Amino acid sequence: KVIAGSHGAGGEIGHAHVIDGMQEACNCGNHGCLEQVASATGIARLAREALAATDAPSVMREKGNISAKTVFDAVKEKGLKACVVYPTGICGPNDYAGGPVSTFIEQYCNGGNKVGFPGSFNSVDVRDLAAGTIAAVDKGRIGEGYILGNDVVWMKDMFAYISHASGVKMTKIILPMPLTRIIVKVSETIGRLTNKAPLITELMLYNLVRNNAYDSSKAKKELGYQTRPFADTIYDEVEWLKEEHRVSA
């Protein structure tokens, strides 16, 4: 059973303190968070630190650049009981941390997106991600990785989903790529000069125009992973934003 918690953060255990004496700070600013030892970057960092602390033989020394995948390849080779899940973007209601999708929806509903940028994205409902992660614990094969994603959503479809859920007039203008690239450069320059977050960055544009068609068929076949329609996720997220008075009801 997935427990949401009184404020929708019942499943946010990534920043629970689990280890003392860790010198490196977590992204949240604290030290010793679960995320620092259980995330992909944390796993790779701990492996590099362990190798540096001893000259003992290890299959990891033969792997070259150490990443989370390298670690799990070694796990599989040695038969240790572990698997890994790879979520795409994460979205859904109860996003009190203000993730990219909820922030985008809030801006759109409040009139902040008069035009759109070209591209697509892939984002999984946090509730489906939680269920998929639990399924990986129960059914995942040792040393295997599972992509937990959703269908590709194009920007014009995103606008349609939000407008249908919120009643806000749909934005229909999607800027051409050459103009978008100019806006990126101007936006980043203004951001550096004003010390404010740019409207759009090179990284944001890259994430929009790259191939976002991730294949979750392995997770569906082996874990029974399922995803709800993305339009349903957007509807639930808009309703939550209304309850929080962050968009007009």
Side-chain angles (χ1 to χ4, degrees):
K1 180 180 178 180
V2 178
I3 306 298
S6 59
H7 297 290
E12 176 49 272
I13 61 173
H15 298 290
H17 181 83
V18 297
I19 187 169
D20 294 323
M22 184 167 288
Q23 298 299 315
E24 185 172 338
C26 179
N27 290 329
C28 71
N30 293 324
H31 297 262
C33 294
L34 177 62
E35 184 175 290
Q36 291 185 273
V37 295
S39 66
T41 53
I43 289 169
R45 178 179 54 78
L46 290 176
R48 289 191 293 268
E49 291 176 356
L51 290 173
T54 178
D55 293 327
S58 170
V59 294
M60 295 294 296
R61 298 191 189 280
E62 307 167 6
K63 303 296 183 180
N65 185 39
I66 303 299
S67 66
K69 183 180 184 303
T70 312
V71 175
F72 278 96
D73 284 345
V75 166
K76 186 175 182 179
E77 184 177 330
K78 291 296 184 179
L80 303 178
K81 293 183 178 180
C83 68
V84 63
V85 296
Y86 300 104
T88 58
I90 305 172
C91 62
N94 302 316
D95 182 10
Y96 289 95
V101 176
S102 62
T103 300
F104 180 86
I105 294 173
E106 184 176 354
Q107 291 174 343
Y108 184 92
C109 291
N110 291 327
N113 297 86
K114 303 300 182 183
V115 297
F117 299 114
S120 66
F121 60 95
N122 190 315
S123 195
V124 57
D125 190 299
V126 65
R127 296 164 292 187
D128 298 331
L129 173 58
T133 303
I134 293 171
V137 173
D138 292 337
K139 305 175 184 177
R141 288 187 289 130
I142 292 174
E144 293 295 321
Y146 299 92
I147 297 174
L148 304 184
N150 207 336
D151 295 330
V152 173
V153 177
W154 295 91
M155 189 60 69
K156 62 181 179 61
D157 296 322
M158 180 67 160
F159 287 166
Y161 293 150
I162 301 174
S163 292
H164 178 75
S166 65
V168 173
K169 184 178 179 180
M170 180 177 168
T171 296
K172 296 183 179 180
I173 300 175
I174 304 294
L175 298 178
M177 183 57 68
L179 178 56
T180 299
R181 293 194 184 280
I182 293 173
I183 292 175
V184 167
K185 293 185 180 299
V186 172
S187 178
E188 290 188 326
T189 300
I190 293 174
R192 286 192 295 269
L193 294 174
T194 62
N195 200 29
K196 294 182 179 179
L199 173 65
I200 184 171
T201 65
E202 285 283 357
L203 179 59
M204 292 177 185
L205 183 59
Y206 166 77
N207 287 331
L208 287 172
V209 300
R210 68 182 179 180
N211 179 14
N212 285 308
Y214 298 104
D215 185 2
S216 299
S217 60
K218 180 179 176 181
K220 292 177 180 179
K221 180 180 179 181
E222 297 186 15
L223 307 180
Y225 172 67
Q226 296 180 334
T227 57
R228 70 199 71 206
F230 191 71
D232 292 354
T233 297
I234 295 301
Y235 179 85
D236 290 346
E237 197 156 358
V238 168
E239 289 298 301
W240 172 73
L241 287 168
K242 289 179 180 179
E243 293 172 3
E244 294 294 309
H245 306 292
R246 289 165 58 178
V247 302
S248 299

